């Protein structure tokens, strides 16, 4: 049984509730346990994962958050740098599912976050567990 850390950038409460619900349901359906922590924004997610790695308490990680395009360049920085940080950790063999949504508007975010629609939180949890299984298989 794996123990998974869900890291959520809690910026849009109603959207994060949907993402976290999907992730938790997927992890529990697969017979695993989880904890959830909250960080201020998507840019802090890779750092939180790095801190979790140092504890040896977690087998896999699920990164959740929502970045909606605004009127400034900030969207590109947050979307790109959070993805880059997560990718760097995966290249070190860490099992991570990236469920940070990057959308044009709230309607797109709702469709992707809602477990009854695209369930990207559940999808990120499935990805983390798949990578964990692959890492275990490859040794």
């Amino acid at each position: 049984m794996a123990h998974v850390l869900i890291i959520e950038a809690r910026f849009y409460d109603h959207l994060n509730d949907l993402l976290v619900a999907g992730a938790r349901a997927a992890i529990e359906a697969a017979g695993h346990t989880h904890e959830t922590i909250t960080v201020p924004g998507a840019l802090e997610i890779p750092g939180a994962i790095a801190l979790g790695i140092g504890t040896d308490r977690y087998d896999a990680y699920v990164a959740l958050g929502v970045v909606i395009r605004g009127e400034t360049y900030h969207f590109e920085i947050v979307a790109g740098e959070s993805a880059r940080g997560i990718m760097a950790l995966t290249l070190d063999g860490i099992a991570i599912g990236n469920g940070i949504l990057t959308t044009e508007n709230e309607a797109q975010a709702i469709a992707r976050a809602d477990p009854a629609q695209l369930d990207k939180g559940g999808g990120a949890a499935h990805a983390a567990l798949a990578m964990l299984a692959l890492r275990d298989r490859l040794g």
Side-chain angles (χ1 to χ4, degrees):
M1 176 177 8
H3 190 55
V4 180
L5 180 62
I6 300 169
I7 306 96
E8 65 161 334
R10 191 138 190 109
F11 195 79
Y12 300 99
D13 289 341
H14 63 297
L15 299 171
N16 274 75
D17 288 345
L18 294 169
L19 286 169
V20 171
R24 287 177 177 165
I27 293 165
E28 291 168 7
H32 303 293
T33 61
H34 56 81
E35 289 179 47
T36 303
I37 61 168
T38 302
V39 296
L43 288 173
E44 288 75 36
I45 291 175
I49 294 171
L51 292 171
I53 293 166
T55 69
D56 291 329
R57 292 173 47 194
Y58 308 104
D59 301 297
Y61 300 84
V62 178
L64 301 176
V66 179
V67 184
I68 298 175
R69 185 180 301 278
E71 297 177 3
T72 69
Y73 186 69
H74 188 67
F75 171 88
E76 283 81 7
I77 293 170
V78 174
E81 291 302 311
S82 62
R84 185 194 59 75
I86 290 169
M87 182 57 67
L89 292 166
T90 64
L91 294 176
D92 287 336
I94 307 304
I96 303 171
N98 186 349
I100 300 175
L101 305 181
T102 53
T103 65
E104 295 293 325
N105 54 54
E106 185 175 349
Q108 289 177 351
I110 290 169
R112 286 158 178 75
D114 187 349
Q117 294 184 54
L118 296 176
D119 192 19
K120 295 298 184 178
H126 287 296
L129 294 172
M131 294 306 292
L132 177 62
L134 180 61
R135 185 183 71 200
D136 290 347
R137 187 175 131 223
L138 296 176

